[in-house]
């Protein structure tokens, strides 16, 4: 049973990668053709008090919570987390996972930023933005990089544990962080919902691709000795 799960895992990850790429391209096409404008406006306004576009729904503590939550997807904090984890892996003499972590996240960050410059979509001006932003809007960097970073770190942690319960817990936490950070960007008025959806699609597909590449290289290196 365990061998069957191991054999089907790359297929499932490859399918998820393909779905992520397809979803991103579809969203990007519809954004370029302005086909998501009505949906974007409707969902963005759903997070604001009717009649007051400067006031997000919910009590004051919810706004403060969302501002703190969105910081978990910012480059400064993500950089510190990645460096801390990579440093732990290095001092533990796990050089392969450390290199995998750094390369996957640095390359994913670079590509995400490049896509922002390529599409150059303006930030929402429909509601007041509750945090300061300067970069283009599409895809959401917080959504994409939280998916890249937290899912990549989750796959690294999962490698060192055998318990399925622990693996499921780590993966669920990574997914919840990614989802929460993305929602916070819409709540704070700094992204259209389609920006966030595209960011999630990019981040998930990139994390899957990185895992597939490393898994393939590991299998190729172990092939001759195992035959």
């Amino acid at each position: 049973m365990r061998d069957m799960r191991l054999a089907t895992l790359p297929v499932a990850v490859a399918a998820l990668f393909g779905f992520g790429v397809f979803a991103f391209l579809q969203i990007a096409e519809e954004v370029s053709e302005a086909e998501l404008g009505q949906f974007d406006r409707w969902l963005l306004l759903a997070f604001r008090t009717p009649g007051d576009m400067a006031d997000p729904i919910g009590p004051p503590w919810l706004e403060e919570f969302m501002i703190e939550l969105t910081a978990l997807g910012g480059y400064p904090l993500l950089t510190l987390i990645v460096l801390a984890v990579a440093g732990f892996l290095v001092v533990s003499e796990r050089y392969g996972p450390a290199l995998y972590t750094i390369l996957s996240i640095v390359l994913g960050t670079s590509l995400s930023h490049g896509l922002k410059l390529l599409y150059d979509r303006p930030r929402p001006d429909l509601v007041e933005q509750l945090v300061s932003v300067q970069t283009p809007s599409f895809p959401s960097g917080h959504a994409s990089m939280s998916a890249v970073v937290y899912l990549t770190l989750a796959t690294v942690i999962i490698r060192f544990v055998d318990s399925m319960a622990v693996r499921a817990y780590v993966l669920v936490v990574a997914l919840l962080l990614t989802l929460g950070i993305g929602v916070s960007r819409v709540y704070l008025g700094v992204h259209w919902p389609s920006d966030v959806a595209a960011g999630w699609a990019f981040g998930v597909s990139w994390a899957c691709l990185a895992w597939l590449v490393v898994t393939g290289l590991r299998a190729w290196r172990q092939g001759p000795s195992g035959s």
Side-chain angles (χ1 to χ4, degrees):
M1 181 66 69
R2 177 181 174 83
D3 291 340
M4 182 179 298
R5 287 200 301 265
L6 292 176
T8 57
L9 182 58
V11 177
V13 174
L16 186 57
F17 163 72
F19 175 78
V21 172
F22 173 78
F24 177 85
L25 293 176
Q26 285 294 110
I27 296 170
E29 180 181 358
E30 293 185 6
V31 165
S32 299
E33 297 175 355
E35 295 182 359
L36 292 175
Q38 184 176 357
F39 170 79
D40 275 338
R41 288 190 294 271
W42 170 78
L43 191 52
L44 191 64
L45 291 176
F47 284 99
R48 295 300 165 114
T49 302
D52 187 357
M53 296 299 97
D55 182 30
I57 60 173
W61 65 261
L62 180 59
E63 180 180 339
E64 296 178 8
F65 173 80
M66 286 296 186
I67 292 175
E68 297 293 337
L69 177 61
T70 207
L72 295 178
Y75 288 110
L77 185 56
L78 289 179
T79 299
L80 291 175
I81 292 174
V82 171
L83 290 177
V85 173
F88 168 78
L89 294 171
V90 169
V91 298
S92 302
E93 299 184 351
R94 296 183 171 103
Y95 304 114
L99 181 62
Y100 162 71
T101 300
I102 294 294
L103 284 180
S104 173
I105 291 171
V106 168
L107 292 175
T109 300
S110 301
L111 182 55
S112 174
H113 186 67
L115 289 170
K116 277 181 171 291
L117 298 178
L118 175 64
Y119 288 101
D120 196 26
R121 187 187 194 187
R123 296 276 178 169
D125 57 3
L126 187 62
V127 299
E128 181 178 341
Q129 299 176 0
L130 302 182
V131 292
S132 176
V133 290
Q134 291 82 33
T135 58
S137 191
F138 184 92
S140 166
H142 278 65
S144 60
M145 292 319 302
S146 60
V148 168
V149 171
Y150 292 121
L151 291 178
T152 296
L153 295 182
T155 59
V156 170
I157 295 172
I158 285 172
R159 280 191 58 189
F160 304 119
V161 295
D162 294 325
S163 169
M164 290 301 297
V166 173
R167 290 181 173 186
Y169 171 80
V170 170
L171 186 58
V172 167
V173 169
L175 290 172
L176 288 178
L177 280 171
T178 299
L179 290 172
I181 291 167
V183 170
S184 75
R185 303 306 284 172
V186 180
Y187 181 89
L188 296 173
V190 295
H191 274 297
W192 300 106
S194 54
D195 298 335
V196 172
W200 283 334
F202 169 83
V204 169
S205 60
W206 181 263
C208 290
L209 177 62
W211 185 89
L212 288 169
V213 169
V214 170
T215 301
L217 289 174
R218 188 183 304 122
W220 176 74
R221 289 179 59 188
Q222 295 175 351
S225 61
S227 59

